[in-house]
Amino acid sequence: MRRTVAASAGCVAALFAAGCSATESNTQEPDNCAPVMSTDLNTQEGWLGLIEQSPETVSLVVDDGRGHVVEHRQDEQQALASAVKVVHLAAYSRAVAAGQLDADEQVPLLDWERWYVPGTDGGAHPAALDRLGIANDGVGATDLGATVRLDDMVTAMIQESDNAVPDYLRYRLGDDVLVEAAAAGGWEGFEAPTLVTTVLAVFDPALGEGDQWATAQRWAFDEQFRAVTGADVVVPAYADQAASVELVGARGSAAQLDSMYRSLADGSFGEGADIALRQLEYQPAPDGAEGMGFKGGNLPGVLTQAFELRRDDDTVATAVWLTDGLPADRYDAANAGFGNQQMLIIDALQSPEVLDRIACVV
């Protein structure tokens, strides 16, 4: 199935390599707040302008770990896109720590790629294959009889935001393990998503109806279903894609996602937290920090960011910023300028003045 979609469920790449509706904010506005002068998402100021312009599309928690917390619609359920994969990572990490999975297990590439929907992930899967040195034709692996180390598969879920790995892990571990891992991170009531059905439903909303996990398993194991589903695909209008994401995609709140990150970073998650942090913190940390981890995501209408920062003084900062309901033009601008949002978040985790600037607009 080769498709072009207005967006992918893939991760937005992190840069650090070298008035409210529904639920009011709990944040006290600082004194002497300057007005926001831009809505240009190619600037940090523009991301503040987005909150002022469309507060109902944003939910966030920024906690600097030193007593300063900014919140906005933090308990509202919003689309998460690939940010939800931190739960799959947590479940994997607990299973490895408990000896239920072997990180060094050699997994047949066929078992990975059966959960892959080609052409729907912005090139994440072939990029992961390239990084791991796995022969491929720019779409998928050329030798499905070859194997890949399980832990390397998980790196693809985090670094390139491969969409096949989460459903593979759900199949291997079961829903209860995912739900228990979420609960260990303080996220009660987690509902296991399927990335396979989410992206299939973007093209055919009918595929998102009924038992979504059963649909994902048909894709994985029923060759005839795959062939029929992949035939004569017509890419829907952007608005229809975004509507499907809201109906079918993973959902959660900024507070729930923030709880997961804080529990992993401060160790309260329990066994496996170190394994998860090793995966999340694959890029260099800023000065004064032991590690910084990140996982974000995007789908039509949705852009999500989540960070944890472990400082040398043993304090932990976390941030989650969820945006949904973006019209096509703003979504394109957000994807082009998300690096400015990421730098704003990173600055806010380290600077009380920048955090106050965010507090001024929520």
Side-chain angles (χ1 to χ4, degrees), residues 1-10 82 85 115-126 139 161-164 195-203 219 233 235 241 298-300:
M1 179 186 292
R2 291 285 290 165
R3 308 166 179 203
T4 301
V5 64
S8 75
S82 287
K85 293 171 184 173
W115 301 99
Y116 168 46
V117 185
T120 63
D121 65 355
H125 185 71
V139 179
S161 204
D162 181 272
N163 287 335
L195 275 294
V196 167
T197 301
T198 296
V199 297
L200 290 176
V202 166
F203 296 96
W219 175 266
V233 171
V235 179
Q241 294 180 40
N298 63 293
L299 279 168

Side-chain angles (χ1 to χ4, degrees), residues 100 102 227 230 284 329 361:
Q100 297 165 348
D102 179 0
D329 58 339
V361 298

Side-chain angles (χ1 to χ4, degrees), residues 93-173:
S93 300
R94 274 167 57 102
V96 170
Q100 297 165 348
L101 288 179
D102 179 0
D104 293 322
E105 175 188 347
Q106 291 296 313
V107 178
L109 291 176
L110 175 61
D111 289 348
W112 181 1
E113 294 216 342
R114 69 171 68 254
W115 301 99
Y116 168 46
V117 185
T120 63
D121 65 355
H125 185 71
L129 297 178
D130 285 342
R131 178 176 58 82
L132 295 173
I134 297 172
N136 66 90
D137 60 7
V139 179
T142 53
D143 180 6
L144 295 180
T147 62
V148 60
R149 182 170 169 263
L150 176 58
D151 201 66
D152 290 336
M153 282 180 61
V154 176
T155 69
M157 178 177 71
I158 300 302
Q159 296 186 31
E160 288 84 17
S161 204
D162 181 272
N163 287 335
V165 176
D167 278 24
Y168 169 84
L169 290 174
R170 179 178 176 182
Y171 182 74
R172 283 287 303 270
L173 295 171

Side-chain angles (χ1 to χ4, degrees), residues 7-335:
S8 75
C11 165
V12 285
L15 293 183
F16 51 87
C20 313
S21 63
T23 300
E24 292 297 325
S25 169
N26 291 333
T27 302
Q28 183 175 355
E29 182 175 311
D31 296 331
N32 303 317
C33 285
V36 177
M37 303 303 294
S38 175
T39 58
D40 180 0
L41 300 183
N42 282 310
T43 67
Q44 291 189 22
E45 186 79 356
W47 284 94
L48 299 177
L50 177 64
I51 300 174
E52 281 201 336
Q53 182 185 54
S54 304
E56 74 285 354
T57 70
V58 174
S59 62
L60 63 81
V61 175
V62 186
D63 182 347
D64 71 359
R66 292 170 170 163
H68 195 174
V69 182
V70 173
E71 297 173 319
H72 171 69
R73 300 178 71 249
Q74 66 277 5
D75 295 317
E76 293 297 309
Q77 294 288 302
Q78 293 201 195
L80 297 178
S82 287
V84 75
K85 293 171 184 173
V86 72
V87 177
H88 299 81
L89 173 63
Y92 162 80
S93 300
R94 274 167 57 102
V96 170
Q100 297 165 348
L101 288 179
D102 179 0
D104 293 322
E105 175 188 347
Q106 291 296 313
V107 178
L109 291 176
L110 175 61
D111 289 348
W112 181 1
E113 294 216 342
R114 69 171 68 254
W115 301 99
Y116 168 46
V117 185
T120 63
D121 65 355
H125 185 71
L129 297 178
D130 285 342
R131 178 176 58 82
L132 295 173
I134 297 172
N136 66 90
D137 60 7
V139 179
T142 53
D143 180 6
L144 295 180
T147 62
V148 60
R149 182 170 169 263
L150 176 58
D151 201 66
D152 290 336
M153 282 180 61
V154 176
T155 69
M157 178 177 71
I158 300 302
Q159 296 186 31
E160 288 84 17
S161 204
D162 181 272
N163 287 335
V165 176
D167 278 24
Y168 169 84
L169 290 174
R170 179 178 176 182
Y171 182 74
R172 283 287 303 270
L173 295 171
D175 288 7
D176 288 348
V177 172
L178 293 175
V179 171
E180 290 165 4
W187 184 341
E188 299 292 342
F190 178 77
E191 296 183 8
T194 162
L195 275 294
V196 167
T197 301
T198 296
V199 297
L200 290 176
V202 166
F203 296 96
D204 183 354
L207 293 175
E209 299 173 357
D211 188 334
Q212 296 173 15
W213 185 227
T215 298
Q217 292 181 85
R218 286 190 70 191
W219 175 266
F221 298 105
D222 186 337
E223 293 185 9
Q224 183 177 4
F225 177 75
R226 289 171 71 108
V228 171
T229 303
D232 301 323
V233 171
V234 176
V235 179
Y238 172 85
D240 294 331
Q241 294 180 40
S244 292
V245 170
E246 292 290 338
L247 289 172
V248 181
R251 299 183 71 79
S253 71
Q256 289 168 326
L257 198 56
D258 183 76
S259 180
M260 287 296 303
Y261 272 83
R262 181 160 292 277
S263 73
L264 292 171
D266 67 16
S268 60
F269 178 81
E271 289 191 359
D274 58 332
I275 298 170
L277 290 176
R278 173 175 53 79
Q279 290 275 356
L280 288 170
E281 296 176 351
Y282 66 94
Q283 297 198 56
D287 291 342
E290 293 182 2
M292 176 179 275
F294 161 84
K295 185 74 195 78
N298 63 293
L299 279 168
V302 177
L303 185 72
T304 57
Q305 313 270 13
F307 286 83
E308 55 83 13
L309 175 70
R310 296 183 303 116
R311 301 191 185 94
D312 293 341
D313 63 5
D314 293 330
T315 59
V316 170
T318 55
V320 173
W321 188 330
L322 309 178
T323 309
D324 66 6
L326 291 168
D329 58 339
R330 295 299 273 166
Y331 179 70
D332 289 343
N335 274 301

